[in-house]
């Protein structure tokens, strides 16, 4: 990699008010390593008490200022590899996640070794790692976006398993320079993240960055080897689903020149929808900061329905 940002550059928000940790030219193919921190989980394991924490939850490393990125453009962030370290964590935060009622008020924590055999989730369950980036985003036009919840049109803590090596994440640019930050690496995570905390892990995400001029996105999207994935954000969940499907439709009709009826029929046949991460799409009640409002959904279009010139590359 050509550049490395260590975890000392961790911040607890996405903001253009932060001094850039790095300035880069897009489209060079140069690779940047973003080291992330697991210190909060180590402290929760040691203290089992939120009140004793000396660090914040979910820092993101950065920001990176991307030369030439302007409002109305999109960043294309290609994830080349994620290097895990020797441990992960399984933690229950009282009052959070779909299992909050069955886990109760006692904090559960477990150190999860990671080695050449895999991720040692239990004494008898050693799973192959599937590393991914939980939190990736650009700065909003004003103010600060959370690194915990909700997910926003600029990204954030989306917790999508598709943000993995081999994928390209497209993020709206709202301010000059974009101010990209990355954090919250997971060693492995079930889709939907039932616990609100996956097998969290410290690691290094290695990415390269390009700018797609004039691609004005209202929500992130992810390109994998086989699919285009459109993120829906809305409250209630039906609105999130509608917005994600609308973006898929516009991708086919506006960006790819499809007939409206063809797009409608193909989406009806193979445009799959499912829940994304559990972080919601609207600011939570301050009295219940881990209770999601609204929904993150994903909408998956197989590249097999696209002509070769439509499926290849970015949004050019």
């Amino acid at each position: 990699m050509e550049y490395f940002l260590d975890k000392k550059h961790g911040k607890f928000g996405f903001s253009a008010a932060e001094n850039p940790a790095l300035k880069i030219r897009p489209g060079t193919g140069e690779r940047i390593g973003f080291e992330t921190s697991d210190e909060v989980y180590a402290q929760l394991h040691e203290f089992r008490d939120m009140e004793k924490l000396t660090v914040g939850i979910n820092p993101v490393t950065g920001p990176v200022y991307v030369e030439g990125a302007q409002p109305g453009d999109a960043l294309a962030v290609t994830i080349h590899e994620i290097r895990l370290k020797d441990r992960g964590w399984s933690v229950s935060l009282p009052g959070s996640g779909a299992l909050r009622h069955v886990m109760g008020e006692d904090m559960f924590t477990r150190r999860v070794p990671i080695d050449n055999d895999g991720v040692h989730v239990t004494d008898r369950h050693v799973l192959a790692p599937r590393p991914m980036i939980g939190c990736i985003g650009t700065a909003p036009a004003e103010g600060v976006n959370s690194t915990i919840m909700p997910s926003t049109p600029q990204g954030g803590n989306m917790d999508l398993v598709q943000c993995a090596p081999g994928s390209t994440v497209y993020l709206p640019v709202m301010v000059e320079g974009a101010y990209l930050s990355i954090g919250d690496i997971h060693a492995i995570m079930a889709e939907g993240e039932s616990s609100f905390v996956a097998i969290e892990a410290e690691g290094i995400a290695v990415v390269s960055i390009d700018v797609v001029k004039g691609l004005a996105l209202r929500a992130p999207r992810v390109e994998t080897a086989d699919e285009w994935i459109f993120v829906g954000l809305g409250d209630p969940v039906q609105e999130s689903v509608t917005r994600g499907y609308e973006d898929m439709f516009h991708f086919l009709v506006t960006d790819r020149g499809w007939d409206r009826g063809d797009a409608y029929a193909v989406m009806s046949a193979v445009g799959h929808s499912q829940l994304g991460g559990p972080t919601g799409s609207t600011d939570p009640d301050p009295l219940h900061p881990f209770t999601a409002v609204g929904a993150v959904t994903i909408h998956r279009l197989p590249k097999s329905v696209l002509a070769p010139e439509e499926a290849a590359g970015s949004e050019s």
Side-chain angles (χ1 to χ4, degrees), residues 66-108:
V66 183
E67 295 177 1
Q70 297 289 339
D73 298 337
L75 285 195
V77 183
T78 298
I79 305 168
H80 297 285
E81 60 175 316
I82 296 175
R83 304 175 185 177
L84 298 172
K85 300 192 179 179
D86 64 353
R87 66 185 185 185
W89 306 95
S90 180
V91 174
S92 72
L93 300 176
S96 70
L99 300 177
R100 61 191 180 279
H101 301 304
V102 296
M103 289 301 290
E105 293 303 312
D106 293 333
M107 184 177 292
F108 162 81

Side-chain angles (χ1 to χ4, degrees), residues 204-240:
I204 300 169
V206 181
V207 310
S208 59
I209 302 170
D210 205 347
V211 172
V212 185
K213 301 300 293 183
L215 179 62
L217 302 178
R218 68 173 179 177
R221 61 185 58 167
V222 182
E223 181 184 8
T224 73
D226 301 318
E227 294 182 318
W228 280 98
I229 296 165
F230 302 83
V231 176
L233 301 171
D235 179 23
V237 65
Q238 291 87 347
E239 176 64 17
S240 179

Side-chain angles (χ1 to χ4, degrees), residues 168 170 221-224 226-230 248 251 256 299-303 306 310-315:
T168 298
Y170 294 84
R221 61 185 58 167
V222 182
E223 181 184 8
T224 73
D226 301 318
E227 294 182 318
W228 280 98
I229 296 165
F230 302 83
M248 183 187 293
F251 170 85
R256 296 304 192 258
H299 308 271
R300 298 164 37 226
L301 179 73
K303 285 183 173 179
L306 301 169
E310 295 172 334
S314 68
E315 303 269 349

Side-chain angles (χ1 to χ4, degrees), residues 25-66:
R25 290 185 300 110
T28 64
E30 294 177 319
R31 298 188 179 190
I32 307 164
F34 291 74
E35 183 183 39
T36 66
S37 174
D38 68 350
E39 178 60 25
V40 68
Y41 300 105
Q43 289 195 13
L44 287 170
H45 185 66
E46 179 180 359
F47 302 131
R48 288 175 168 77
D49 186 345
M50 297 280 286
E51 299 298 323
K52 293 183 179 180
L53 295 178
T54 64
V55 295
I57 299 174
N58 246 32
V60 290
T61 299
V64 170
Y65 182 99
V66 183

Side-chain angles (χ1 to χ4, degrees), residues 145-277:
N145 282 349
S146 173
T147 64
I148 303 173
M149 59 191 308
S151 299
T152 73
Q154 294 81 49
N157 195 28
M158 298 184 291
D159 287 325
L160 302 181
V161 299
Q162 294 84 6
C163 293
S167 296
T168 298
V169 183
Y170 294 84
L171 299 164
V173 175
M174 307 301 292
V175 296
E176 181 180 334
Y179 288 78
L180 172 73
S181 297
I182 291 175
D184 189 30
I185 284 175
H186 301 162
I188 187 171
M189 187 192 89
E191 293 194 58
E193 199 177 24
S194 62
S195 61
F196 195 72
V197 177
I199 305 301
E200 309 285 335
E202 189 166 286
I204 300 169
V206 181
V207 310
S208 59
I209 302 170
D210 205 347
V211 172
V212 185
K213 301 300 293 183
L215 179 62
L217 302 178
R218 68 173 179 177
R221 61 185 58 167
V222 182
E223 181 184 8
T224 73
D226 301 318
E227 294 182 318
W228 280 98
I229 296 165
F230 302 83
V231 176
L233 301 171
D235 179 23
V237 65
Q238 291 87 347
E239 176 64 17
S240 179
V241 170
T242 294
R243 290 174 67 86
Y245 272 140
E246 286 176 345
D247 285 352
M248 183 187 293
F249 183 85
H250 291 307
F251 170 85
L252 290 172
V253 173
T254 305
D255 298 341
R256 296 304 192 258
W258 278 37
D259 173 81
R260 291 165 57 85
D262 288 352
Y264 184 88
V266 167
M267 286 176 58
S268 299
V270 296
H272 302 291
S273 177
Q274 65 191 73
L275 287 174

